[in-house]
Amino acid sequence: KHYEFQFLPNGQVIEYLKMHESLTNKGTWYRNGNAIHMEFPDYYPVEAAIDGDRMTGSWKSGAYKFTLKRVQ
C-alpha cells in the first residue's frame, strides 16, 4: 500500500491512500520533539518518530508499522 500524509500547520493531518484516489482520512496531529502523535476518527492512535527525512511509526499497539519519506 502507498500512503501519503499532509501535515498542516493548524494541527490537521490528511492521509491519502494512493491506490484509491477517493479514500482520504482527516485527523489531528501534534509534535513533541521528534515524536509525532496522530488521531484519526474511527482509528487507533498513531505514534511515530522523525529521524532526518524519515518517519517511522505504528498503530494498533505495533500491529501495523510504516515508514514515510519526506518529499517536497
Side-chain angles (χ1 to χ4, degrees):
K1 293 183 179 179
H2 180 96
Y3 296 91
E4 288 185 7
F5 289 84
Q6 183 179 15
F7 295 90
L8 304 175
N10 65 356
Q12 288 186 312
V13 60
I14 303 171
E15 172 195 37
Y16 302 93
L17 178 55
K18 295 307 286 180
M19 56 194 299
H20 300 286
E21 289 298 325
S22 63
L23 183 58
T24 61
N25 293 310
K26 295 180 181 181
T28 60
W29 74 282
Y30 66 86
R31 181 176 179 170
N32 185 5
N34 287 337
I36 300 289
H37 178 83
M38 293 178 268
E39 292 275 345
F40 295 95
D42 302 323
Y43 283 117
Y44 295 90
V46 178
E47 302 294 337
I50 297 173
D51 185 13
D53 67 346
R54 297 199 181 268
M55 178 188 297
T56 57
S58 66
W59 70 92
K60 199 170 181 182
S61 299
Y64 299 98
K65 298 178 182 181
F66 64 89
T67 300
L68 303 173
K69 183 177 179 184
R70 183 178 183 173
V71 294
Q72 297 180 6

